[in-house]
Amino acid sequence: MMDITKWHNSLRNIMISGSVASIASAISLALLGKSELNRFAAPLNGLSQWIWGSHAPYVNSLSFRYTFVGYTIHHAASIFWAIGYERLRRRLRPPETTSAVLAPAVVTAVAAYIVDFYLIPKRLTPGFENRLSKRSLLFVYGAFALGLAAPALLARNRKFRPNQG
């Protein structure tokens, strides 16, 4: 049985890794949208198709209706995937190695890609695949994986750095 401290730490780790992954991949979506479409908001708007329908990925402008809703869906999905990432990461030993932090992030990002594009109905796909190249999708999911791993990697580096005092 998990005690309250472990539960709190797990929840904190999920929220942090999911949030960093969300922000990292959203930044990559915006930059790739600017690069490929000359529109920062267009890729994030695509996610709002869950609510607003199949025209949402083709909305280019920044708006509460499409961009905020799209990012909110993206962030919630990132937190969901962070649950799996944190569970995988805890199972690898030794937990402080770089590979034990990165491997579960890559596995999680690949799983998210497979689910997003092969297992769920078209309406529930991210939508940004309608606007960005396949190469850009690789960058987005790579940024997502790095975002998942970044907090654990930074914490590991702080833990192993001698105090400068």
Side-chain angles (χ1 to χ4, degrees):
M1 186 166 184
M2 185 183 275
D3 70 38
I4 194 72
T5 303
K6 285 184 181 179
W7 185 86
H8 180 265
N9 288 340
S10 292
L11 184 58
R12 185 189 74 231
N13 289 343
I14 288 165
M15 296 303 291
I16 291 170
S17 62
S19 295
V20 172
S22 174
I23 292 165
S25 53
I27 289 170
S28 73
L29 283 167
L31 293 174
L32 291 163
K34 179 64 175 169
S35 173
E36 291 187 12
L37 308 166
N38 201 29
R39 305 284 188 202
F40 285 108
L44 274 174
N45 290 345
L47 289 132
S48 70
Q49 74 179 356
W50 286 23
I51 308 295
W52 308 123
S54 61
H55 71 281
Y58 303 98
V59 174
N60 288 323
S61 59
L62 181 69
S63 72
F64 180 84
R65 179 178 175 107
Y66 295 101
T67 314
F68 178 77
V69 169
Y71 180 75
T72 301
I73 291 167
H74 177 68
H75 194 84
S78 297
I79 298 296
F80 168 79
W81 286 108
I83 295 168
Y85 166 70
E86 291 295 339
R87 291 194 74 195
L88 280 173
R89 190 170 70 85
R90 291 211 170 1
R91 291 181 182 196
L92 293 179
R93 297 284 180 244
E96 68 277 352
T97 65
T98 300
S99 61
V101 173
L102 287 175
V106 171
V107 168
T108 302
V110 169
Y113 178 86
I114 291 168
V115 169
D116 284 350
F117 299 115
Y118 296 101
L119 298 179
I120 60 174
K122 178 75 173 142
R123 171 95 185 239
L124 299 178
T125 64
F128 49 73
E129 75 279 5
N130 295 311
R131 305 296 303 275
L132 297 176
S133 67
K134 299 269 188 214
R135 182 174 179 221
S136 289
L137 295 180
L138 178 65
F139 283 114
V140 170
Y141 283 85
F144 180 73
L146 289 174
L148 285 172
L153 289 171
L154 291 172
R156 181 189 69 126
N157 287 341
R158 275 195 305 269
K159 194 182 301 181
F160 293 113
R161 190 178 319 144
N163 286 337
Q164 314 254 333

